[in-house]
Amino acid sequence: MTAELAERLDTAALTATPIPQIASRAGLDAAAAYTVQEQLVARRLARGERLVGIKLGLTSRAKMAQVGVDEVIWGRLTDGMTVADGSTVDTSRLIHPRIEPEVAFLLDAAGNATAVAPALEVIDSRYADFRFALADVIVDNSSAAAYAIGSWRPVPDGVDNLGVLLEVDGRVVQIGSTAAILGDPRRAVSQGLRLAGRVEAGWVLLAGAATAAVPLAKGAYVRAVVEGLGAVGVRAS
Ligand code: 0L1
Ligand code: MG
């Protein structure tokens, strides 16, 4: 049954066609949902993609309130989701994309953060109306779709209250602080290791969003600016 759910989600993503909330309807708990997520991502790996990291989701009160789920979740990142800073995200292959400003960490083999960077995450729920319960969003790889990372730098002493701006076409649409990410985004590093169980040297960890996500419209140029860490931008095509 789990393999069938993974196939349905994979097809939904490949064809940009929303589906009903299949995991909660099937009565899956969180552990079973992560098994489906693993099977879903295994399908991408079988098509030649590589695992390159993990993401945490719902790490802020704003994000939890936005989607009505009250638990930190995680997902798997592949190289097929990577977008270079300043380049283009193809939204024609997405259902109802949203974008959010994040902080990313570069990990060593022991799961320590060796560098930090500003990041943008594009999320795209494969469910109609972006509506889901906990099990649904877990099987959907925590809505992962694409991400871009700015320049890496050594992790400074304090990253717990840096100002964050999200701009669309040069206009500020969200203002936040890295404090929104678990009180301090560095907590995402230990939580990510605990949740995922393992990491690899060179993996990226997306720590979570500093503000609510906003819809990503075709043609928009979106930039995230994180105080002291720099900026990162993508254009939606
Ligand atoms: O990265 C995130 O916080 C997204 C987690 C899943 C919830 C959503 O799709 O907004
Ligand atoms: Mg996110």
Side-chain angles (χ1 to χ4, degrees):
M1 191 260 278
T2 57
E4 185 194 321
L5 296 184
E7 183 181 357
R8 286 189 68 186
L9 276 155
D10 197 31
T11 304
L14 287 169
T15 60
T17 308
I19 57 172
Q21 289 74 12
I22 52 177
S24 53
R25 288 182 187 191
L28 260 56
D29 63 14
Y34 279 114
T35 300
V36 177
Q37 182 193 113
E38 190 173 5
Q39 292 170 331
L40 170 67
V41 176
R43 297 175 68 92
R44 296 182 74 122
L45 304 185
R47 292 195 288 271
E49 294 182 36
R50 268 185 321 112
L51 268 185
V52 294
I54 58 176
K55 64 163 280 183
L56 293 199
L58 307 181
T59 48
S60 74
R61 299 311 311 175
K63 283 304 303 283
M64 286 180 180
Q66 188 175 28
V67 300
V69 173
D70 202 6
E71 196 168 307
V72 174
I73 56 177
W74 71 282
R76 294 158 162 97
L77 301 176
T78 71
D79 58 344
M81 301 172 188
T82 309
V83 178
D85 184 11
S87 66
T88 299
V89 187
D90 180 6
T91 58
S92 68
R93 302 169 65 100
L94 302 175
I95 299 168
H96 33 207
R98 296 177 179 174
I99 191 162
E100 55 192 21
E102 302 221 1
V103 169
F105 291 100
L106 192 60
L107 302 178
D108 68 13
N112 300 306
T114 59
V116 63
L120 281 166
E121 186 184 19
V122 178
I123 52 175
D124 189 33
S125 174
R126 270 51 71 163
Y127 301 110
D129 305 324
F130 235 105
R131 285 167 60 88
F132 42 74
L134 177 66
D136 300 308
V137 68
I138 291 172
V139 299
D140 191 20
N141 199 20
S142 298
S143 304
Y147 68 94
I149 292 180
S151 299
W152 293 112
R153 67 193 66 221
V155 185
D157 279 347
V159 292
D160 55 322
N161 192 14
L162 306 176
V164 177
L165 300 179
L166 183 67
E167 299 171 358
V168 177
D169 297 327
R171 198 167 50 87
V172 175
V173 296
Q174 293 282 330
I175 299 175
S177 161
T178 55
I181 306 167
L182 297 172
D184 182 335
R186 282 171 299 194
R187 292 205 177 101
V189 176
S190 49
Q191 287 236 20
L193 186 57
R194 181 182 60 79
L195 290 166
R198 73 174 196 103
V199 296
E200 289 182 20
W203 273 16
V204 165
L205 179 135
L206 288 183
T211 73
V214 302
L216 180 60
K218 192 174 167 183
Y221 185 76
V222 182
R223 208 166 77 104
V225 186
V226 182
E227 180 186 358
L229 300 186
V232 55
V234 294
R235 181 165 301 283
S237 69

